[in-house]
Every structure is written in structure tokens, then in C-alpha cells.
Amino acid sequence: LSALARKGLSAHFQPSRISDKQTRSSRRIIMKRKSEPQASTESGNGDDRRLQKKVPRGQAPISNNERMHPRSMHRDGLDYFDLGQRFPEFNKYVYVNRFGGASIDHGDPDALRALTRALLLHCYQLRWEIPSGYLSPPVPSRANYIHYVADLISGTDSEAGDASDVTLLKGPDVRGVDIGIGANCIYSLLGARLYGWRMVGTEVDAAALELAKANVDRNDDMRPLVDVRLQTDASHIFQGVLNDDERFAFSVCNPPFHDTIDKAHVNPQRALDGSHSELVCDGGELGFISRMIAESQERPKQIVWYTSLVARLTTLKEIKRRLAEAGIAARREFTLYQGKQTRWVIAWTFHGEAERQQEIDRLRSPSTQPRQQQQEEAVSADHEQRQEASAADVRQRMADVLAQLGQGGSAGQAAESE
């Protein structure tokens, strides 16, 4: 059998497709949710680790990772062995599969939490924790979404590769809305870390919101950039959490996928250790995005680009049909490739092309006008201070002269009148 490479790749770096030379039976074995013996990793014995390293590498696995966003640091995948050496807490979940590759049990919520924690710290210098009972986000796919949004709001073409650091909109003047942050707050943290954006994260679950706030507070430089807000009415998305005078460049969202809790646990090979609000909503993802469209029509100019992740192709087709009837000015669609999964981002705006360009120009040099104004005010204030000092000096000299002439009483009055 063709050996898998040591890199475990997927949306969360799962093992990739198996070679066509492998039998059906071996396909069933590799996809089976089953932890391999972990004697080598549990013992911590140096000889065991050396034995792991002697396992020959096979040809590179087939995956979609090379089709991820050009700026993604996850395009080349990840070596679980290397990450495990860097983070012992994650290392205990890594084992050598029967093909010599590195694997973890993706049906184990503890393993997924350890993976997310290690990736965020290693790749993005973000400290992050959540308890059991909440979803652990696949970091590469979430960063993938953020990179495409950066291109979208900057008016650049990701596929053409013309989005450079110079042309991208960065900094706290660029504001975004993260709808449904859950306990992990992943999009807000990544948006703030990667591009310095100022994010508003909303959540209907008060307990999850407190955990999200704790993740923000764990990173001192994130506190000024990420503001979390409680949505007290689950039937609304933007109403009640955004002020009427606030303006944003974009919104991001990973809507609940299912319409019933029973459908959330149909795949035993994947851990869905999530809260009810993370997994389920009325109408599933189609119902949620449809409500987003309806509310965006009520506030067409508050957000330049409304966007949402879409998990089902059937949902994407229906959403595009509904957007065609919503009176939008433009629509964009991005395909997110990661590991063996394919997802989509749908984006729409009520701003015309000229309006969008004007907003881009404003955000690209947000501090120019205020800085000039401050400089002019400073020069004016300095000029006034110099004039006042000169007048005070003249009055003092006149007072001294009059005092010498013996007219001290009227001198003060004369000086004041001058």
C-alpha cells in the first residue's frame, strides 16, 4: 500500500485521500473512527520517538490544501509530530497510524480542543481556551474565510494574486461584525490578529459570550480591538446589537448548520461537542442566512459587505436565488478549499461600485485628514501662545517704564488697557 505522508491534512488536518492502489477494505480501515495504540507517545521514551521517525514517508497525499487562499500559512499542511513536540499537551493525542502517518482521533473533543489551542498559539500567538460542551473551530478554514474577506473589502482579486500588503485594508479604522461568536470568538480574534481590524462579536448565549470575552482578555492586544455584545433576541441578527449610527466594512458568520439537534450527530466520525445555539437554529443554515438577507435589506448602508459561510451546495443555490430578488447592488461568491472539505462564502452589498471605491479610499488613508487638522490646530495654538507671550512682555516693559516715572498706580491700569 502507498504510505501516507506524515502530514495529517483536512479542514482540521485529517488524513488525506488514500491512493487508488489501496483496496476497499483498507479504505474502510483508514476512515474508521478508531484510535491506534499510543504506547510510543504515552511513554515519552526517546527510542519510541526515534522509531516513529524511522517510518518511511510515502508519496504526498492528495488534498485541497494547496488550493487554500494564497496568503494562508496552512497551504502546506501541518506535521502533527512537529506540533506535538512543541506542545506536549497536544502530543498525547498524536499517534502513528498503520500507514506511518501522524493522526489524531477527530471524534475526540479533547483532541480537537488541544489541536485548536496549539494552532492558535503556534501560528497566531493567540492564547485560547474553552471548556467541554462547545465547538472547537478548525483554525485553517476559519483563517481561510478571513483572508477572502480581506480581499473582498479591499477590492482585490484573490485568484489573480494581486492582493498585497500595500493594497489590503488594515487597521482599527476597518470595522467588522462577527455574527454568532460562540465561546471561541475565532473570527474576531483572527481578523484582529491578521489585519488589525476592530471587531464587534455578537452572541445569543450569555454563558458562551462570557467564555468568548475571556478568550479576548487572555490576549492583552486584543482587548482594544474586539468588543463582544449579547444579542437578547434570538429572532434578530443585527437589530438590537448594532447602533444605528455605526458603520462597518463587512460582516462574517458561520450559521448553525442544522434545524434539529438529531441531525447534528449523524456523523460518528466527527466530534460535535457543541452547544445547542452553535449547532441548531430555526430553518438551519438556509433559514439563518435568509433572515440575514431580510435584515440587511432594512439596513442596506450600515454594512458594506454582508457575508456568510455556506456548508451545503443546495443552500448556496437557494441563497443566490433569494439574493436576486433582494435588490442588491452586487454579489460575490468564494469557494473555500481545505483538506477534503469544500465550503463556500456568499457575499452581497447594497453599495454601488462608486460607493464601494469611495469607502475603500477612505479606509486606505483613514488618518490623513485628522492628522492634517491636528497639525494645523497645533500650529495655530503655537502662534497664539507666541503672540500672547509677546504682548505680556510689552505690558511688563511699559509697566516698568511708568513705574520709574512715578506713575505706578496708573501704570497697571494702562498696561491692562493695552
Side-chain angles (χ1 to χ4, degrees):
L1 298 181
S2 174
L4 291 178
R6 292 173 63 187
K7 295 179 180 179
L9 305 171
S10 77
H12 230 337
F13 302 114
Q14 299 178 38
S16 299
R17 293 195 201 103
I18 298 163
S19 168
D20 291 337
K21 295 182 180 180
Q22 293 175 322
T23 64
R24 290 181 178 273
S25 125
S26 63
R27 288 177 185 271
R28 287 194 296 270
I29 291 173
I30 192 64
M31 294 304 296
K32 185 177 180 182
R33 178 186 168 191
K34 178 180 178 181
S35 298
E36 298 290 330
Q38 301 187 29
S40 60
T41 56
E42 290 177 354
S43 65
N45 188 295
D47 294 335
D48 292 333
R49 175 59 71 181
R50 284 193 293 272
L51 287 174
Q52 289 178 350
K53 290 186 176 182
K54 288 181 181 179
V55 177
R57 293 175 182 265
Q59 62 183 120
I62 301 172
S63 79
N64 277 326
N65 280 22
E66 69 277 3
R67 301 175 71 182
M68 295 177 75
H69 191 280
R71 289 194 302 277
S72 172
M73 64 177 63
H74 306 291
R75 286 168 60 91
D76 295 330
L78 186 76
D79 190 334
Y80 280 168
F81 288 137
D82 179 69
L83 193 66
Q85 289 177 338
R86 296 173 185 272
F87 299 94
E89 184 64 25
F90 170 67
N91 191 54
K92 64 184 180 182
Y93 299 105
V94 180
Y95 64 86
V96 183
N97 60 38
R98 66 187 66 235
F99 300 102
S103 295
I104 65 170
D105 181 2
H106 287 81
D108 182 355
D110 293 333
L112 294 183
R113 270 192 299 276
L115 174 59
T116 299
R117 187 186 307 116
L119 283 175
L120 285 174
L121 186 56
H122 178 59
C123 298
Y124 302 100
Q125 297 76 54
L126 288 169
R127 299 188 179 278
W128 180 91
E129 294 283 347
I130 59 169
S132 61
Y134 294 94
L135 288 175
S136 295
V139 176
S141 67
R142 300 304 182 249
N144 210 21
Y145 185 178
I146 291 296
H147 287 308
Y148 278 103
V149 168
D151 294 338
L152 176 69
I153 65 174
S154 303
T156 59
D157 186 349
S158 304
E159 301 300 327
D162 64 356
S164 67
D165 284 343
V166 176
T167 60
L168 290 173
L169 294 179
K170 297 182 178 182
D173 290 286
V174 180
R175 303 189 68 198
V177 182
D178 182 1
I179 303 164
I181 58 176
N184 57 72
C185 202
I186 186 72
Y187 289 124
S188 292
L189 290 171
L190 287 176
R193 170 61 77 228
L194 287 167
Y195 297 103
W197 298 332
R198 196 149 46 102
M199 302 293 297
V200 171
T202 71
E203 175 56 44
V204 298
D205 184 337
L209 188 80
E210 288 302 313
L211 293 170
K213 186 177 185 303
N215 277 321
V216 174
D217 291 341
R218 285 187 177 93
N219 303 274
D220 292 341
D221 56 341
M222 294 291 100
R223 292 176 187 172
L225 296 176
V226 181
D227 175 24
V228 299
R229 303 177 185 179
L230 180 66
Q231 171 59 273
T232 58
D233 188 346
S235 66
H236 291 302
I237 297 175
F238 303 108
Q239 183 178 331
V241 287
L242 303 184
N243 300 323
D244 292 339
D245 60 346
E246 289 185 301
R247 296 293 178 267
F248 300 89
F250 66 91
S251 68
V252 292
C253 178
N254 180 23
F257 187 70
H258 307 281
D259 56 359
T260 66
I261 194 64
D262 294 336
K263 295 180 181 178
H265 299 286
V266 295
N267 185 0
Q269 297 181 3
R270 294 290 298 174
L272 280 180
D273 189 24
S275 66
H276 189 277
S277 63
E278 289 177 314
L279 300 174
V280 178
C281 72
D282 185 21
E285 67 171 0
L286 177 58
F288 195 96
I289 300 173
S290 296
R291 289 190 289 277
M292 280 185 61
I293 295 173
E295 286 201 26
S296 70
Q297 290 176 286
E298 297 172 356
R299 52 189 73 230
K301 300 300 183 179
Q302 184 164 37
I303 298 174
V304 178
W305 282 105
Y306 294 87
T307 80
S308 179
L309 193 70
V310 182
R312 289 189 178 103
L313 185 57
T314 54
T315 300
L316 180 66
K317 292 178 179 178
E318 178 59 22
I319 288 301
K320 289 195 290 187
R321 187 191 68 80
R322 298 188 183 191
L323 284 173
E325 302 172 352
I328 62 175
R331 189 195 77 207
R332 297 287 186 273
E333 176 188 334
F334 302 99
T335 302
L336 304 185
Y337 298 101
Q338 52 254 348
K340 295 163 61 178
Q341 287 187 337
T342 301
R343 295 289 185 263
W344 299 269
V345 170
I346 189 72
W348 65 95
T349 182
F350 297 92
H351 289 67
E353 184 175 357
E355 290 179 293
R356 298 197 302 272
Q357 187 59 52
Q358 184 179 17
E359 185 68 9
I360 290 172
D361 293 340
R362 182 185 70 82
L363 291 173
R364 189 155 285 155
S365 55
S367 304
T368 302
Q369 186 63 30
R371 188 183 302 116
Q372 289 177 345
Q373 183 176 353
Q374 290 173 2
Q375 289 175 345
E376 292 173 358
E377 291 176 351
V379 170
S380 176
D382 181 67
H383 181 67
E384 291 178 359
Q385 289 176 355
R386 289 176 181 274
Q387 284 186 322
E388 180 61 29
S390 177
D393 182 63
V394 170
R395 288 196 297 268
Q396 184 60 49
R397 288 176 181 273
M398 290 179 61
D400 292 342
V401 171
L402 292 174
Q404 292 177 0
L405 295 175
Q407 300 177 3
S410 60
Q413 296 176 359
E416 285 297 321
S417 64
E418 284 293 321

